[in-house]
Amino acid sequence: MKEGWRWYGKFDKISLSEIAQTGASEIVTAQHEIPYGEIWASETVQATRQKLNAAGFNWTIVESLPIHEKIKRNDGDLSGLFANYRQSMANLAAEGIEVICYNFMPLLDWTRTDLAAPVARGGTCLRFSSAKMAALELFMVERPEAENDYSAEVIRQAKAWFEASTQAERDQLIHAVMAGLPGAYDRFDTAGLKEALKAYDGISRDQLRANYKRFLDEVIPTAEDLGLRFAVHPDDPPRDILGLPRIVSNEADIDWILNAHESPSNGLTLCAGSLGANPRNNVPDIARKFADKIHFAHLRNVAKDPDGSFEEAAHLGGDTDMVDLVSALLTEQRKRRTDGRKDADITFRPDHGHDLFNDAEREAHPGYPLLGRMRGLAEIRGVIAGLSAQLPAA
């Protein structure tokens, strides 16, 4: 398996020379400074590739080529947005990009309520608290019918937290929820989030699915022509948020997506952490079921609470059997080599990580510290080496 590392370009506090010392060979990045819907110019993509190659890295995976919110809502004349998207795809393919990781989460990206929750033996992690999320929805955004999405006990805890919280703590909560948005984009305050949600009024799960199918029908034929593979990232967390339907959350959702436009170019980013936050998901089994469509893997772990809360665990800790999951990926990789597939080697990256030692002082992107991810990479590297030694040569 190829070892990747996510890098945020000029917004990243971690340098390429430092990443090189982790041993990772593949950089996973994007043009985070370009607003959604605009074309990624050939010159810009080429400059990124040249910079990464000069630093000794390969760049074959984009994460992400964002989808404009109007496309997710099927809002108005979308011909220009789709044309721009396809042109960006062509410009990426011309520079050697093979895989485009993307998501179809409405309005928000990955969502957490705490960016520095303490870890038992030191350091901090990302956490999602159902009570704090309920407090945001019920008492800050004041979303109608939000009480239907939470248990009576979670609502009680949410009310207690809200009544005891200061304005600074409420501001910190909305800041944490907005932290998943990549790059230099403006984040919403509470009033802005409340206003932004209005654009999704009346959009049901079935309607969002229909909009998603249109997206696939618009871009997958071009991906086939260009030799690109699309890899959808699961919802994070895998549940509805702020009343917005999330449609990439479990095995049934993935099955629907891969059959909505059948093509070798329509595939999956296997994110162990996102899928692992749903107690009904068996991540190694999902990996085995959709193995031939996994174009990219995010390996991390979560520890779940009964009320729907969860936090980032150590990569070999948490609730997902990481050894079983890596074994499933290695088995698929061996099969691909036997079958002579050009995409036989699966690229993974250590996703998220605890802030360890002086990680917090760097103020890197939340969830993307240097030392915490390097620990995760080293642990997964060890699992891969141990399992690979037990397999006969492909």
Side-chain angles (χ1 to χ4, degrees), residues 19 37 42 56 66 83 117 163 168 184 238 328 346 356 374-375 391:
I19 297 171
S42 297
E163 290 177 346
I346 298 172
L356 303 176
M374 187 169 68
R375 173 187 171 182
L391 293 172

Side-chain angles (χ1 to χ4, degrees), residues 350-363:
D351 192 18
H352 295 182
H354 293 171
D355 275 14
L356 303 176
F357 302 102
N358 67 340
D359 271 335
E361 297 172 12
R362 288 175 171 267
E363 299 183 343

